[in-house]
């Protein structure tokens, strides 16, 4: 059974609807999938319904921004129940992320006549194009030539998301577990590809102590060595091993020659250790 436990829809920054994700997963021969939108769980009900028609198991998921030392890490939560505390944390992360753009436009409006906070508040973008409202707005106002070029302003104006008040990772992990779910470190290569094997193991030990239940060992940009280290670490510590493509539809389909489409990471469920899938 092939799985992909890291997919985005247009409820965050992907281009696809939940139904299109289910259909694409079916075409790719996937049997278990999870939509893990950034700080948003709205896609799940529609995804589940659509997956049932295709005979695919849909796992409830979300990707939450949280603080760990000098980084904002992404934690994937799976198979959690409705829980006010967890939902409050998810909403808080979503609001912090949106606030980066609100603050940016406010600061930029002092330098650029073409943007204003009021105009931004009323601005609507086509979610089918993926990405976030802020970068679409900057592109439309002619302040960037390409969609992601707009990101440079966030750093320039002190609105880099590292500056924002995301919840500490231990708090997020606890809330996930209190809701009966599992907390998995997303794409370790995005954060630790420069680390030595020893350095990586040290950080994984610490993250385990903070409440991480598993690692996304199989991911498009996880190198061979890093994957091996993470798999060994999970096996040694009886932790969950997951696989995800981070597919966003047409948005960021290929980055630095690496593919991120749905099913790009072909992982067999037998190589994983997914406690939340009852077979
Ligand atoms: Zn991520
Ligand atoms: Zn993601």
């Amino acid at each position: 059974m092939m799985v992909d436990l890291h997919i985005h829809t247009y409820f965050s920054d992907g281009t696809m609807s939940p139904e299109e994700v289910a259909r694409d997963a079916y075409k790719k021969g996937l049997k278990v999938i999870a939509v893990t939108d950034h700080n948003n769980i709205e896609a799940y009900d529609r995804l589940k319904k659509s997956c049932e028609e295709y005979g695919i198991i849909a796992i409830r998921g979300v990707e939450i921004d949280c603080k760990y030392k000098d980084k904002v890490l992404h934690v994937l939560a799976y198979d959690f129940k409705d829980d006010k505390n967890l939902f409050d944390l998810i909403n808080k992360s979503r609001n912090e992320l949106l606030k980066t753009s609100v603050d940016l436009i406010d600061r930029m409006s002092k330098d650029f006549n073409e943007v204003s906070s009021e105009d931004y508040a009323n601005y609507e973008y086509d979610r089918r194009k993926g990405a976030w409202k802020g970068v679409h707005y900057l592109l439309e106002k002619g302040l960037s030539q390409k969609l992601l070029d707009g990101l440079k302003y966030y750093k320039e104006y002190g609105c880099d998301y590292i500056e924002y008040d995301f919840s500490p990772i231990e708090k997020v992990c606890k809330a996930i577990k209190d809701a009966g779910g599992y907390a998995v470190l997303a794409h370790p290569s995005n954060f630790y590809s420069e680390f030595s094997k020893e350095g990586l193991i040290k950080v994984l030990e610490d993250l385990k102590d903070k409440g991480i239940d598993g690692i996304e060992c199989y991911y498009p940009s996880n190198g061979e060595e890093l994957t091996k280290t993470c798999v060994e670490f999970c096996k040694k510590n009886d932790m969950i091993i997951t696989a995800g493509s981070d597919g966003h539809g047409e948005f960021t389909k290929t980055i630095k020659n690496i593919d991120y489409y749905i099913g790009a990471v072909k992982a067999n469920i037998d190589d994983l250790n997914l406690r939340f899938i009852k077979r």
Side-chain angles (χ1 to χ4, degrees):
M1 290 218 291
M2 304 310 269
V3 308
D4 186 344
L5 296 176
H6 190 160
I7 300 169
H8 293 272
T9 70
Y10 59 43
F11 282 100
S12 61
D13 54 344
T15 63
M16 300 168 98
S17 67
E19 292 77 15
E20 286 164 349
V21 166
R23 185 169 3 122
D24 196 33
Y26 175 74
K27 279 199 286 190
K28 305 265 172 63
L30 297 169
K31 292 284 184 277
V32 183
I33 64 169
V35 160
T36 52
D37 278 318
H38 297 282
N39 314 304
N40 190 311
I41 57 169
E42 282 178 76
Y44 180 65
D45 290 341
R46 280 169 54 185
L47 179 80
K48 190 168 180 282
K49 194 165 167 273
S50 197
C51 279
E52 274 164 13
E53 288 163 22
Y54 290 111
I56 295 171
I57 299 169
I59 307 291
R60 193 186 207 183
V62 63
E63 183 169 20
I64 308 173
D65 291 290
C66 50
K67 273 252 159 86
Y68 173 66
K69 295 190 173 168
D70 61 339
K71 296 184 193 311
V72 176
L73 293 189
H74 292 181
V75 168
L76 298 160
Y78 293 109
D79 203 29
F80 46 87
K81 297 181 181 66
D82 287 351
D83 181 274
K84 187 180 178 307
N85 184 37
L86 176 61
F87 289 1
D88 284 348
L89 269 182
I90 292 170
N91 290 339
K92 181 180 158 45
S93 288
R94 185 170 65 244
N95 290 335
E96 286 299 311
L97 200 57
L98 295 173
K99 206 161 154 265
T100 62
S101 299
V102 172
D103 290 350
L104 175 70
I105 301 306
D106 181 46
R107 289 174 199 181
M108 285 181 78
S109 66
K110 293 170 183 73
D111 295 337
F112 298 94
N113 289 331
E114 50 273 65
V115 303
S116 79
S117 294
E118 200 196 346
D119 186 40
Y120 183 67
N122 293 318
Y123 173 71
E124 278 183 34
Y125 73 105
D126 180 3
R127 287 188 310 167
R128 287 249 162 218
K129 290 183 175 159
W132 301 99
K133 182 176 164 181
V135 286
H136 281 285
Y137 184 71
L138 293 167
L139 183 70
E140 194 167 304
K141 296 293 163 184
L143 291 168
S144 57
Q145 303 312 312
K146 275 190 275 168
L147 191 56
L148 294 183
D149 287 354
L151 291 175
K152 67 175 185 227
Y153 292 110
Y154 288 79
K155 265 211 168 81
E156 222 176 294
Y157 280 85
C159 299
D160 196 8
Y161 89 154
I162 192 74
E163 315 279 344
Y164 283 76
D165 189 26
F166 294 105
S167 305
I169 193 162
E170 51 270 50
K171 198 173 168 187
V172 171
C173 290
K174 185 174 184 310
I176 294 167
K177 284 195 260 224
D178 286 348
Y182 300 87
V184 173
L185 173 70
H187 41 61
S189 54
N190 287 21
F191 311 115
Y192 302 115
S193 62
E194 304 297 313
F195 278 44
S196 65
K197 184 175 176 178
E198 292 69 31
L200 177 61
I201 290 172
K202 216 169 148 206
V203 89
L204 295 177
E205 290 280 3
D206 193 42
L207 287 168
K208 180 166 99 43
D209 292 344
K210 296 268 186 286
I212 287 287
D213 301 304
I215 303 169
E216 190 173 46
C217 297
Y218 299 103
Y219 184 82
S221 66
N222 282 359
E224 211 174 301
E225 274 303 303
L226 181 136
T227 301
K228 200 166 155 250
T229 304
C230 290
V231 168
E232 279 171 11
F233 185 83
C234 287
K235 286 188 173 160
K236 188 174 158 221
N237 293 288
D238 191 29
M239 288 166 77
I240 293 167
I241 296 168
T242 71
S245 68
D246 217 353
H248 284 71
E250 288 302 314
F251 176 59
T252 61
K253 207 173 175 183
T254 309
I255 305 169
K256 293 179 187 161
N257 291 324
I258 299 175
D259 289 329
Y260 292 85
Y261 58 83
I262 294 173
V265 170
K266 287 240 180 294
N268 195 308
I269 199 162
D270 298 331
D271 298 327
L272 311 177
N273 178 15
L274 304 176
R275 279 172 222 143
F276 46 86
I277 297 173
K278 297 123 198 125
R279 281 184 290 165

